[in-house]
């Protein structure tokens, strides 16, 4: 079953980063313009630890975004660090 969303329309370009955005300074500035400081951004990114993807790779819909599905922890940071990029 697909998750429920507020709208079926895509966000305007540039409103949120793309799926593969890795430039830290770009992300900090993008979210600073939305009143997030770097600490807020780190918390937002970390919240992805309990997320699932549905659209980037539809063949893997529902897959966890890190190696501890459904658990709120800090593995997302380790799993997706620049020293250990996703495969």
């Amino acid at each position: 079953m697909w998750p429920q969303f507020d709208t079926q329309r895509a966000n305007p370009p540039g409103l949120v980063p793309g799926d593969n955005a890795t430039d830290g300074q770009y992300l900090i500035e993008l979210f600073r313009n939305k009143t997030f400081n770097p600490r807020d951004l780190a918390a937002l990114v970390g919240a992805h630890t309990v997320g699932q993807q549905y659209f980037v790779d539809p063949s893997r819909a529902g897959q966890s975004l890190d190696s501890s599905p459904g658990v709120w922890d800090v593995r997302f940071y380790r799993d997706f660090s620049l020293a250990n990029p996703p495969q």
Side-chain angles (χ1 to χ4, degrees):
M1 174 179 243
W2 293 99
Q4 298 299 310
F5 296 98
D6 292 338
T7 183
Q8 294 295 318
R9 288 179 281 160
N11 289 317
L15 185 63
V16 294
D19 301 326
N20 296 310
T22 58
D23 181 334
Q25 192 57 44
Y26 163 76
L27 294 172
I28 288 170
E29 288 304 314
L30 180 70
F31 282 91
R32 183 172 282 140
N33 291 336
K34 298 169 186 0
T35 72
F36 283 67
N37 64 39
R39 184 179 173 131
D40 298 333
L41 177 57
L44 176 64
V45 168
H48 286 77
T49 190
V50 293
Q52 297 173 319
Q53 76 85 31
Y54 287 88
F55 304 104
V56 173
D57 183 351
S59 71
R60 298 170 80 178
Q63 182 176 345
S64 176
L65 298 176
D66 73 6
S67 63
S68 56
V71 177
W72 190 282
D73 57 22
V74 296
R75 286 195 181 183
F76 182 85
Y77 297 105
R78 186 194 67 212
D79 291 350
F80 292 95
S81 71
L82 293 178
N84 183 28
Q87 301 296 317

